[in-house]
Amino acid sequence: MTEEEVLHIHEMVYQYLMLLHQEDKSFKFRLNTHENSLPYGYWLPTAVSSKLDSILSFWSAINTKKEIYLFSLYFGFTGVSPTVVFFLSGQKLEQYTDYLKKISQIPQFLVATNIKNLWRKSLDNKNILSACRQAIKEIKPLIDNFLSKNPPPFETIIPDAFFKIDVALVESYRAKLAGRYDYKSIYSEYLDACKAEIAIQKMLQKATPKLPFTFTRLYVKDFQGIQEMVIDTIAPDVQWIFLTGENGYGKTSILRAIATGFIGDEAIMSDLLIKSTIYINGISQNETFIYEPQPKTKSPISIPIVAYGAARFQLSSSNRETLENSKKSVTYSLFKEDGQLMNIEQELMNANAYNPPRFKYLVKILTKIIPNLAKIEVISIHGDPQVQYFEQNEAGKCYPPVPLEALAAGYRSILTMIGDMMIRLSKYPNNPLEDLQGIVLIDEMDAHLHPKYQFELPKLLSETFPKVQFIVTTHSPIPLLGLPQKVKSVVLKVNRTIKEGITVNRLDDDIEIQRLSANALLTSDIFGFDNIFARDATPDTIESFDDYKKIEAKNKIELELELRNGLKGLNIKI
């Protein structure tokens, strides 16, 4: 077969595949991305040995820890007739011995070869396009069925973003070969999309993440007001991700999409996934992954994660979780307002009675995070054990003890949430209470909190839980200012329009938060105030100082001058 004939086949097969994709958007495939062969018209991936040997992949997966595994269905145009190939490669195939045995049990439409990780079937139809149809219509569904019944120990989904990048690159060269002048703009779009993917891949391959579990990337389509959105290139050592934006703009929807991406199908989420597409990237114990949750499918990713909605006061009667009590699930309160938190008071009483070291550690953490909380004790009242809280004044003197419901709403909200977080995360394997790891999502982090505590809380949480990544929404600039400079963070501004739906812009790269005051931060693009003056104030009445103590000192001096001038007018000597 001549090169001209092969190029003609590439064009015909590409048009056929794109037609199938237009009919079914879930139908995706990998295309050629090598610029040594693309300029000539090789749209399909070419073999290493020869550009005339073309291979098309419908599945691909990466499970990296300095190794790359490819698990794909290829059909090539080599030899006498087209061939379907089922191939698993990697440096440590012995890790997947059990799965290789399952593959060997596939019905005989695939024939084993003398290579233990390779199966293939030659197609009778020698016409390339007809063979392509046969492979897609007859053999691909059989492989799909096998994969659905025997999920592999790694991801095999082609991310939608990868597919779009492949198509954009091919389209740019098709336009160029056709003599169209718009190929540069098409290629520019490809480059913009590709830069993020290349940066992610390099980052994930080279970086040694500080955090054992992190969120790095999200693609969402048709989910709770999100038409199509990407959160990109979050470095694996970022401990805080702040989402800002006006009420009703979609911050909660983004948190729910992240939770859904990690957890997958739960009872309260199953209806949301039917028409939605979500891809999530992250790191789990130094392993990079990408996952697409599916309806009625349990996530294979085991990541310690908890999520909290804006309403986080209601404690469960006990800490015994049952399948019937979905209100205690790790994400329920993010979706419903009647969610129940794990009962920290029950945990404190149990630990006090049966595990004093655990009780001591729980008290240590809670008293560190809650301002002016001096100690927590379990006291017998009328014969029943009850948890009592001792607050202290600035001199360190304790007030009489009070029950949980007598604490300020803001403190109670944080205490119950942190208690729930410690209980849930410590239930994951190899995640001891003294060294908690995981990801925590919090909606409206600043709710019920005084500005002084908004400033202190990010620092307290970062120091207390250095191996936990926090993804939070906030309406206040103060938590952003309270984060220590050594702690890495990202700020995402959430926008919403009728045309585009919910979108995000990353702003921390453009705005140096550490150099701004709260007033300057409020008038930045992050919060979007036109000004922060009192309503109807005029420029000549506004104080020039941001520090109120300086304003007080200035007023005192002006008052003294006014008094002196008044006394002089009365001819009274000073």
Side-chain angles (χ1 to χ4, degrees):
M1 187 176 293
T2 66
E3 182 176 10
E4 185 178 352
E5 291 172 325
V6 171
L7 292 176
H8 178 69
I9 290 171
H10 275 242
E11 178 64 25
M12 296 297 294
V13 171
Y14 173 74
Q15 290 187 31
Y16 172 63
L17 294 174
M18 291 303 295
L19 181 63
L20 294 179
H21 175 70
Q22 292 300 319
E23 296 172 354
D24 179 6
K25 296 298 183 182
S26 66
F27 176 75
K28 290 175 288 189
F29 42 90
R30 294 312 303 265
L31 293 167
N32 190 14
T33 59
H34 295 292
E35 295 190 42
N36 61 340
S37 53
L38 268 172
Y40 304 98
Y42 291 94
W43 312 140
L44 309 180
T46 54
V48 176
S49 58
S50 171
K51 286 189 294 187
L52 299 183
D53 292 334
S54 305
I55 304 169
L56 180 61
S57 172
F58 295 102
W59 295 283
S60 62
I62 298 176
N63 183 6
T64 49
K65 192 174 181 181
K66 296 186 178 179
E67 296 102 18
I68 296 179
Y69 301 96
L70 296 176
F71 179 61
S72 304
L73 168 64
Y74 299 113
F75 66 90
F77 308 135
T78 59
V80 178
S81 62
T83 304
V84 173
V85 181
F86 201 70
F87 185 60
L88 176 66
S89 69
Q91 296 179 14
K92 295 185 178 180
L93 285 175
E94 64 273 10
Q95 294 179 2
Y96 304 124
T97 300
D98 293 339
Y99 196 68
L100 287 169
K101 290 179 180 177
K102 290 183 180 180
I103 296 176
S104 66
Q105 298 169 6
I106 296 178
Q108 292 306 306
F109 62 83
L110 288 175
V111 179
T113 66
N114 56 356
I115 303 174
K116 71 174 183 178
N117 57 319
L118 174 66
W119 295 260
R120 68 171 151 196
K121 176 179 176 58
S122 295
L123 301 179
D124 297 331
N125 199 326
K126 294 185 179 181
N127 179 280
I128 301 296
L129 196 57
S130 299
C132 178
R133 291 195 186 98
Q134 181 185 353
I136 294 171
K137 300 295 184 182
E138 297 178 15
I139 298 181
K140 185 177 181 295
L142 297 173
I143 302 295
D144 286 333
N145 182 58
F146 171 79
L147 291 175
S148 66
K149 293 180 179 178
N150 303 276
F154 40 79
E155 291 306 318
T156 60
I157 298 168
I158 295 176
D160 194 59
F162 287 12
F163 174 71
K164 287 182 176 180
I165 288 171
D166 287 1
V167 172
L169 183 60
V170 167
E171 284 296 321
S172 70
Y173 279 102
R174 289 183 78 232
K176 188 174 183 179
L177 285 177
R180 292 183 3 227
Y181 291 101
D182 62 344
Y183 79 90
K184 290 184 178 180
S185 62
I186 299 173
Y187 189 66
S188 178
E189 290 176 10
Y190 157 75
L191 287 178
D192 290 340
C194 200
K195 282 178 185 176
E197 297 300 337
I198 292 172
I200 288 173
Q201 294 304 320
K202 288 183 177 179
M203 176 186 68
L204 296 182
Q205 290 171 9
K206 295 180 180 179
T208 303
K210 169 188 172 185
L211 301 171
F213 300 98
T214 62
F215 157 74
T216 59
R217 188 177 187 277
L218 177 73
Y219 172 83
V220 186
K221 186 174 182 181
D222 299 328
F223 181 90
Q224 292 202 326
I226 302 173
Q227 296 178 20
E228 189 169 27
M229 184 198 72
V230 175
I231 296 176
D232 233 337
T233 322
I234 306 295
D237 57 351
V238 168
Q239 190 179 11
W240 283 83
I241 300 173
F242 293 99
L243 294 165
T244 70
E246 297 183 34
N247 290 326
Y249 270 35
K251 300 185 298 296
T252 301
S253 294
I254 294 174
L255 279 190
R256 290 173 177 173
I258 294 171
T260 304
F262 278 116
I263 307 252
D265 183 63
E266 289 188 0
I268 58 171
M269 292 189 235
S270 56
D271 292 342
L272 299 175
L273 288 174
I274 292 175
K275 295 182 179 180
S276 302
T277 302
I278 295 177
Y279 289 102
I280 196 159
N281 291 68
I283 294 176
S284 174
Q285 296 289 16
N286 296 330
E287 291 278 350
T288 62
F289 67 84
I290 182 168
Y291 174 58
E292 178 189 16
Q294 298 289 337
K296 305 185 185 305
T297 303
K298 184 175 176 61
S299 170
I301 306 171
S302 180
I303 287 184
I305 184 171
V306 288
Y308 301 99
R312 39 183 182 265
F313 288 101
Q314 188 174 344
L315 298 180
S316 61
S317 57
S318 71
N319 284 338
R320 290 177 296 177
E321 291 183 278
T322 62
L323 292 175
E324 293 77 23
N325 194 353
S326 64
K327 292 182 182 180
K328 290 190 207 170
S329 72
V330 295
T331 60
Y332 187 92
S333 74
L334 189 57
F335 289 81
K336 305 284 185 179
E337 291 187 357
D338 60 342
Q340 295 181 359
L341 300 181
M342 303 294 283
N343 195 319
I344 183 58
E345 297 214 304
Q346 185 68 48
E347 186 76 13
L348 286 166
M349 287 188 287
N350 291 342
N352 181 65
Y354 305 112
N355 192 344
R358 183 177 178 86
F359 174 80
K360 185 177 180 181
Y361 188 79
L362 288 169
V363 170
K364 174 184 175 183
I365 296 301
L366 294 175
T367 53
K368 178 180 179 180
I369 290 177
I370 307 300
N372 302 325
L373 184 60
K375 58 181 177 177
I376 303 173
E377 293 183 357
V378 177
I379 300 173
S380 180
I381 301 177
H382 305 301
D384 294 326
Q386 293 187 20
V387 180
Q388 296 287 296
Y389 302 85
F390 294 79
E391 295 182 276
Q392 62 185 359
N393 61 19
E394 292 181 358
K397 184 176 180 179
C398 286
Y399 297 109
V402 295
L404 178 65
E405 55 269 20
L407 293 176
Y411 291 167
R412 191 166 76 251
S413 168
I414 296 300
L415 188 148
T416 54
M417 183 183 70
I418 297 302
D420 177 276
M421 184 190 92
M422 290 192 293
I423 294 170
R424 290 188 192 274
L425 292 184
S426 63
K427 287 188 174 184
Y428 282 85
N430 304 315
N431 203 12
L433 184 65
E434 297 78 10
D435 189 33
L436 285 182
Q437 306 172 0
I439 298 174
V440 175
L441 281 60
I442 307 174
D443 197 14
E444 296 189 22
M445 175 189 177
D446 53 304
H448 310 291
L449 302 183
H450 186 277
K452 287 177 69 175
Y453 192 33
Q454 292 181 26
F455 186 81
E456 293 296 331
L457 187 57
K459 175 178 177 289
L460 291 170
L461 292 178
S462 298
E463 293 175 349
T464 308
F465 306 107
K467 294 184 179 180
V468 172
Q469 184 181 55
F470 294 92
I471 307 173
V472 305
T473 72
T474 180
H475 294 111
S476 170
I478 299 175
L480 281 65
L481 297 173
L483 202 63
Q485 197 162 0
K486 65 181 180 180
V487 177
K488 292 191 177 181
S489 64
V490 162
V491 179
L492 302 172
K493 171 71 176 297
V494 182
N495 305 294
R496 188 171 194 171
T497 63
I498 294 176
K499 182 179 179 181
E500 296 182 340
I502 298 168
T503 58
V504 293
N505 291 329
R506 180 170 174 175
L507 298 178
D508 54 292
D509 286 339
D510 302 320
I511 300 174
E512 295 184 64
I513 294 173
Q514 298 290 343
R515 299 183 60 189
L516 301 182
S517 67
N519 288 346
L521 194 54
L522 280 170
T523 54
S524 72
D525 290 341
I526 295 177
F527 290 95
F529 268 59
D530 292 330
N531 64 69
I532 41 77
F533 303 141
R535 194 175 300 278
D536 299 327
T538 58
D540 59 314
T541 64
I542 300 299
E543 289 287 352
S544 58
F545 292 116
D546 276 342
D547 189 331
Y548 189 71
K549 291 180 180 179
K550 292 181 180 179
I551 295 174
E552 277 189 320
K554 176 189 171 191
N555 289 341
K556 186 177 179 181
I557 292 172
E558 289 177 348
L559 182 62
E560 288 179 356
L561 288 173
E562 185 178 343
L563 180 60
R564 284 173 181 269
N565 292 332
L567 292 174
K568 285 180 180 179
L570 296 173
N571 294 319
I572 298 174
K573 292 183 179 181
I574 304 173

